[in-house]
Amino acid sequence: MKKLLVAMAVLSAGAAAAQTAPVRKQLLQQDLPAFPVEEVRMDQITLAPGQGAPVHHHPGEVYGYIVSGGIIYQPAGAAAVLLHAGDAFREIAGQEITQFKNAYADQPASFVAVYLLKKGQPPIIIKK
């Protein structure tokens, strides 16, 4: 009887796991450029209300995900877009980012950035 109860518990746990499979939502799919990636860096960055980054670019590809708040994002030559929590974005290596700032004056905005770099490269280069 004890073996039967154990077997039923194992089957029941397996059935419950099968019913609650993880949900996968594709946020971004992108071909990688021919760029030797030697280092990956992942940062979570929080911008204060209204705070933004200066005009900049990245030496390697950057892939990001907005965790909270909203970000106004504008690569050179493109229209500005408002990214919300749950949105993903890509910054192309070497492309100037003319605007990247917290869209709201009353709340912080947080995002995760994944930098694909050569060994020892800085993740960001500020325009002087």
Side-chain angles (χ1 to χ4, degrees):
M1 182 67 163
K2 186 175 182 182
K3 287 183 182 181
L4 178 60
L5 290 175
V6 170
M8 287 176 58
V10 169
L11 288 173
S12 193
Q19 292 173 3
T20 59
V23 176
R24 184 178 308 272
K25 176 183 174 186
Q26 183 173 326
L27 299 172
L28 180 72
Q29 181 173 344
Q30 192 74 47
D31 290 339
L32 290 175
F35 178 85
V37 176
E38 300 169 341
E39 192 170 272
V40 175
R41 175 175 168 164
M42 184 185 299
D43 293 347
Q44 182 165 355
I45 301 160
T46 301
L47 299 174
Q51 182 181 27
V55 176
H56 65 279
H57 73 274
H58 302 277
E61 296 285 298
V62 178
Y63 297 91
Y65 178 78
I66 309 300
V67 175
S68 64
I71 300 284
I72 298 171
Y73 170 61
Q74 184 175 21
V81 295
L82 175 58
L83 302 172
H84 299 90
D87 289 340
F89 63 93
R90 172 188 181 211
E91 296 185 11
I92 298 169
Q95 182 178 39
E96 189 171 89
I97 306 302
T98 57
Q99 190 172 193
F100 195 96
K101 72 176 202 170
N102 186 339
Y104 303 114
D106 62 346
Q107 63 181 311
S110 180
F111 64 99
V112 172
V114 177
Y115 304 91
L116 306 182
L117 302 165
K118 291 181 184 175
K119 196 76 164 162
Q121 273 186 321
I124 186 171
I125 298 172
I126 305 299
K127 185 174 182 176
K128 295 181 181 184

